[in-house]
Amino acid sequence: MKTTKISEAVVRRLPIYLRYLTHLHHMNVKTVSSQKLGDILDINPAQIRKDLAHFGEFGRKGIGYEVDYLIEKIKQILKLDQEIHVALIGVGHLGHAILNYNAYLKENMKIVAAFDVDPQKTGEVVAGTTVYHLDQLGDIIEEKAIRMAIITVPAEAAQEVADRLMQTRIKAILNFAPVNIKARDDVRVHHTDVTTELQSLSYYL
Amino acid sequence: MKTTKISEAVVRRLPIYLRYLTHLHHMNVKTVSSQKLGDILDINPAQIRKDLAHFGEFGRKGIGYEVDYLIEKIKQILKLDQEIHVALIGVGHLGHAILNYNAYLKENMKIVAAFDVDPQKTGEVVAGTTVYHLDQLGDIIEEKAIRMAIITVPAEAAQEVADRLMQTRIKAILNFAPVNIKARDDVRVHHTDVTTELQSLSYYL
């Protein structure tokens, strides 16, 4: 199933498709056309067909996509058919917000441990997740079979945290700190930050 | 200066360039090559040259880009040479986190008002920003000349908030609620949410 050279743009659209397909599933809708998907998601239907065609022949002429089947396939492509344990590092305001959001994470994805350098926060439980001291990072990641990490520390600490994570089994990092993180080729880092989001939106004003 | 048909991918990279160029400026670096930029930002140097060439001839062979000049140009392109007032709607955990982050917003961008439906929150001041009742949305947006909005309400309220925003002068919305918002063609909506970010990262595991 693993197909190489799929662009990041395609990979970023798959969860969007999955979210709406899951909504359709809950509405008991059985099939959907790329036209309808495109209308709702504001994406060109030809783009949707092309995106999905990278992974196989999922649609049928005149019928469209079978909702449940496509959900299952996208989950497989995104490896969401496995349970994925996530760590969060940095229990400040944003860290708190994301931990509170944990209940909404779906598709077998769960934040199972949080970390902070502040010893006062160690042992705290935020929205069901225990906060450990950063020094326990390696041990807990091993113990809880954690595969992904979310960085919500201040900018000046982000690279050091990333370096520590790269000494563990972690292969995917979502960085909220407003700084570019350098990582080895075998570790995938996505950056997300409010400032750059707002700045790119500003272009359209 | 406004060039049409620039892809969203290009527009999303400009703030990344700007952030690093600003860092170089603070380090008193005068010129930088696309090679060096590419190394640091993990972007193909040819891509960087192509991105910037959309807007003019900013680089010089053998010298590269003049840092201060390029900063000024990117700010112009992103309209960050003007002051941009932002509203935030939904003062829950995430809203709090972003309001606390407000101090870090740069380049003339500032959250100048927050809104919530909870009357208990009305009048509260979070990290220097006053919380107004959602019913005051139109008046305050007019009064404070607000041009962009950040939505941090729960998923089920997001479309209604967006509909209310579209009755105002707002033309750009950054939506953190985990739901796709439908908007008129003249209103630009960017979506950002932790679940879809984690799901697309999962692909690379």
Side-chain angles (χ1 to χ4, degrees):
Chain A
M1 177 51 77
K2 177 65 182 281
T3 317
T4 45
K5 291 199 192 169
I6 299 300
S7 83
E8 189 178 323
V10 176
V11 173
R12 284 185 172 278
R13 281 191 291 269
L14 294 178
I16 312 284
Y17 301 155
L18 180 60
R19 184 166 64 197
Y20 186 63
L21 289 164
T22 304
H23 170 75
L24 289 177
H25 167 84
H26 289 308
M27 304 291 282
N28 219 9
V29 173
K30 298 300 180 200
T31 60
V32 64
S33 65
S34 55
Q35 188 65 51
K36 171 79 178 162
L37 277 174
D39 279 355
I40 295 285
L41 302 176
D42 249 336
I43 299 173
N44 189 319
Q47 179 73 68
I48 295 175
R49 290 193 296 273
K50 202 177 145 204
D51 285 354
L52 296 173
H54 282 122
F55 304 99
E57 284 294 331
F58 301 141
R60 279 190 290 166
K61 263 224 160 83
I63 296 178
Y65 299 100
E66 282 180 46
V67 171
D68 289 359
Y69 180 72
L70 190 53
I71 288 175
E72 191 193 317
K73 284 298 165 189
I74 294 180
K75 282 189 185 177
Q76 279 174 16
I77 294 165
L78 292 175
K79 304 195 184 62
L80 298 171
D81 50 349
Q82 321 155 24
E83 196 164 287
I84 296 172
H85 290 173
V86 182
L88 177 138
I89 299 101
V91 188
H93 288 286
L94 184 58
H96 261 96
I98 293 174
L99 288 171
N100 276 289
Y101 189 87
N102 197 15
Y104 299 97
L105 291 183
K106 284 179 199 107
E107 319 305 349
N108 294 329
M109 211 174 263
K110 194 170 168 10
I111 301 173
V112 296
F115 299 88
D116 203 282
V117 282
D118 182 355
Q120 298 241 301
K121 289 181 181 164
T122 304
E124 221 179 273
V125 177
V126 179
T129 308
T130 302
V131 181
Y132 300 91
H133 192 275
L134 191 59
D135 289 343
Q136 296 175 267
L137 190 70
D139 291 344
I140 301 289
I141 282 174
E142 224 25 72
E143 189 185 313
K144 293 187 180 278
I146 295 170
R147 301 176 67 191
M148 287 171 66
I150 301 172
I151 295 182
T152 47
V153 300
E156 57 275 18
Q159 184 65 55
E160 198 206 314
V161 165
D163 290 343
R164 286 209 199 194
L165 286 168
M166 283 188 279
Q167 290 164 23
T168 71
R169 65 211 297 279
I170 297 283
K171 292 281 175 274
I173 297 173
L174 179 56
N175 174 40
F176 281 88
V179 65
N180 256 76
I181 281 177
K182 292 291 283 178
R184 287 195 317 264
D185 283 349
D186 64 328
V187 177
R188 182 87 191 182
V189 182
H190 283 186
H191 294 84
T192 173
D193 104 68
V194 178
T195 304
T196 50
E197 289 283 351
L198 289 175
Q199 287 181 349
S200 59
L201 250 185
S202 168
Y203 174 79
Y204 300 99
L205 284 177
Chain B
M1 176 53 75
K2 177 65 181 283
T3 318
T4 44
K5 291 201 194 171
I6 301 298
S7 82
E8 189 178 323
V10 177
V11 174
R12 284 184 173 277
R13 280 190 292 268
L14 294 178
I16 312 283
Y17 301 154
L18 181 60
R19 185 166 63 195
Y20 186 64
L21 289 163
T22 304
H23 169 75
L24 289 177
H25 167 83
H26 289 308
M27 303 290 282
N28 218 9
V29 174
K30 298 300 178 200
T31 60
V32 65
S33 65
S34 56
Q35 188 65 49
K36 170 80 177 162
L37 276 174
D39 279 354
I40 296 286
L41 302 176
D42 250 336
I43 299 172
N44 189 319
Q47 178 75 67
I48 295 175
R49 290 193 297 273
K50 202 178 144 204
D51 285 355
L52 296 172
H54 282 121
F55 305 99
E57 285 292 331
F58 301 141
R60 279 190 289 166
K61 263 225 162 82
I63 296 178
Y65 299 100
E66 282 180 46
V67 171
D68 289 1
Y69 180 71
L70 190 52
I71 287 175
E72 191 192 317
K73 284 298 164 189
I74 293 181
K75 282 188 185 176
Q76 278 176 16
I77 294 165
L78 291 175
K79 304 193 184 66
L80 298 172
D81 50 348
Q82 322 156 23
E83 198 163 288
I84 296 171
H85 290 174
V86 182
L88 177 138
I89 300 101
V91 188
H93 289 286
L94 185 59
H96 261 96
I98 294 173
L99 288 171
N100 276 289
Y101 189 87
N102 196 16
Y104 299 97
L105 291 183
K106 287 181 196 100
E107 318 305 350
N108 294 327
M109 211 175 263
K110 196 173 170 2
I111 301 172
V112 296
F115 299 87
D116 203 282
V117 282
D118 182 355
Q120 298 242 299
K121 290 182 181 164
T122 304
E124 220 178 276
V125 178
V126 179
T129 309
T130 302
V131 181
Y132 300 90
H133 193 275
L134 190 59
D135 289 344
Q136 294 176 269
L137 190 70
D139 291 344
I140 301 288
I141 282 175
E142 221 29 69
E143 189 185 311
K144 293 188 180 279
I146 294 171
R147 302 176 67 192
M148 286 171 67
I150 300 172
I151 296 183
T152 47
V153 300
E156 56 275 19
Q159 184 65 56
E160 197 205 313
V161 165
D163 291 343
R164 286 208 198 194
L165 285 168
M166 283 187 278
Q167 290 164 25
T168 71
R169 64 212 295 281
I170 297 283
K171 290 282 177 273
I173 297 173
L174 179 56
N175 174 39
F176 280 87
V179 65
N180 256 76
I181 282 178
K182 292 291 284 178
R184 288 195 317 263
D185 284 348
D186 64 328
V187 177
R188 181 89 191 182
V189 182
H190 283 186
H191 294 85
T192 175
D193 104 68
V194 178
T195 305
T196 51
E197 289 282 351
L198 289 176
Q199 287 181 348
S200 60
L201 250 186
S202 168
Y203 174 79
Y204 299 98
L205 284 178

